[in-house]
Amino acid sequence: YMKSLELLAPAKNLEIGTAAIDCGADAVYIAGVQFGAREKAGNSFEDVSALCAYARKYAVKVYLTLNTILQERELPIAQEYIWRAYESGCSGIIVQDLGVLKMELPKIKLIASTQCDIRTPEKAKLLEQLGFKRLILARELSLEQIAQISNAVDCELEFFVHGALCVCYSGQCYLSEHLTGRSANRGECAQACRNNYDLVDSRGNTIVKNTPLLSLKDLNLSKRIGELVEAGITSFKIEGRLKNASYVKNTVT
């Protein structure tokens, strides 16, 4: 029995989502007006609806990101937002805050965001039992760890195969919050790990100057897709909801 595989592309907006579909993506993920982990990549529901209508022509799925921690007062707004996503034609919502599970929701696929920090079979099992139909695993896992999670659950597993890498586990990074008061769990990451730093030893000698010491190289697992399929991954995700159309077209193709 072969599960169907999916190439999942980022859509900063309607135009880029359409381009990703034209280039052969099986699914795209896009943010609505708020609650997305990239605050600068928001879209109106009119645009989300238009993307869903275009995607349907080619049997492509659209997932909406709701991958931030919610405040109490935002819960009713988030619930209405999920209904609007459903009515717009979205196939699923990508969620970080488990408060969503207590809401009265439409029949829409719940996808646990990589912001949920899923690295163990135990955590994966718990989220599956709570009703998630897909888990987006932490990017730092080995093939062996992925296989262990795959053996523990029946739900779909998604994994990042291309794009920028955080220096910390997603959902567990507080560097931006600590330095600037802007929380990565609220879609406001200042991307402090991309900045240049000086490395100074205990005697005050500068060893390295003005270098992006915390910034990891970008990820490219395009040559490891076969191994990831064997380990149990069925959705292959390209990072980049802040990236432009040419990046998305080139990566998808």
Side-chain angles (χ1 to χ4, degrees):
Y1 160 64
M2 183 69 181
K3 291 180 177 173
S4 60
L5 305 179
E6 172 186 277
L7 179 62
L8 176 57
K12 182 180 186 177
N13 53 33
L14 172 59
E15 176 214 345
I16 294 175
T18 304
I21 294 165
D22 290 346
C23 288
D26 303 303
V28 295
Y29 61 106
I30 189 168
V33 193
Q34 59 197 114
F35 308 128
R38 297 280 184 277
E39 63 171 353
K40 292 185 176 67
N43 294 277
S44 70
F45 273 109
E46 286 73 28
D47 279 3
V48 172
S49 253
L51 183 61
C52 289
Y54 188 74
R56 253 194 312 276
K57 294 181 192 171
Y58 302 97
V60 170
K61 295 189 163 86
V62 177
Y63 306 126
L64 197 84
T65 59
L66 190 106
N67 51 347
T68 58
I69 294 290
L70 302 169
Q71 293 174 352
E72 197 73 29
R73 61 182 170 76
E74 294 170 335
L75 294 173
I77 309 161
Q79 179 174 319
E80 184 191 340
Y81 183 94
I82 295 166
W83 277 94
R84 288 200 68 182
Y86 173 70
E87 286 154 9
S88 298
C90 292
S91 297
I93 50 162
I94 299 170
V95 172
Q96 177 182 11
D97 196 314
L98 301 186
V100 164
L101 299 170
K102 292 187 167 177
M103 297 174 182
E104 199 172 306
L105 297 177
K107 282 191 169 16
I108 193 167
K109 181 192 277 189
L110 291 178
I111 302 168
S113 170
T114 194
Q115 291 285 116
C116 293
D117 185 37
I118 309 162
R119 330 176 216 155
T120 64
E122 292 75 19
K123 180 86 171 266
K125 266 193 232 171
L126 170 68
L127 290 166
E128 182 180 46
Q129 285 161 3
L130 289 172
F132 285 99
K133 299 291 184 234
R134 176 183 291 186
L135 312 177
I136 308 173
L137 302 184
R139 287 171 248 202
E140 297 77 8
L141 299 180
S142 66
L143 284 165
E144 192 183 338
Q145 288 171 308
I146 293 168
Q148 286 169 354
I149 291 172
S150 177
N151 290 332
V153 295
D154 292 320
C155 58
E156 297 172 359
L157 298 179
E158 180 177 311
F159 199 69
F160 282 90
V161 292
H162 198 284
L165 269 174
C166 297
V167 76
C168 287
Y169 289 112
S170 297
Q172 297 293 311
C173 180
Y174 303 98
L175 183 61
S176 174
E177 168 85 35
H178 175 71
L179 293 176
T180 67
R182 290 169 51 184
S183 170
N185 288 313
R186 294 283 295 163
E188 299 165 351
C189 182
Q191 301 198 332
C193 53
R194 299 270 174 257
N195 294 345
N196 290 334
Y197 294 96
D198 298 343
L199 182 61
V200 181
D201 70 12
S202 57
R203 292 193 291 275
N205 302 318
T206 301
I207 299 162
V208 183
K209 210 170 170 52
N210 208 28
T211 307
L213 295 170
L214 295 177
S215 188
L216 299 178
K217 287 182 177 175
D218 276 11
L219 183 69
N220 183 357
L221 297 180
S222 54
K223 293 187 169 65
R224 311 294 294 269
I225 301 283
E227 291 165 272
L228 287 165
V229 172
E230 278 178 39
I233 300 298
T234 55
S235 179
F236 301 87
K237 185 174 208 163
I238 297 165
E239 182 274 338
R241 275 190 301 116
L242 294 177
K243 301 271 176 55
N244 63 21
S246 62
Y247 168 85
V248 173
K249 286 178 190 172
N250 287 330
T251 316
V252 169
T253 309

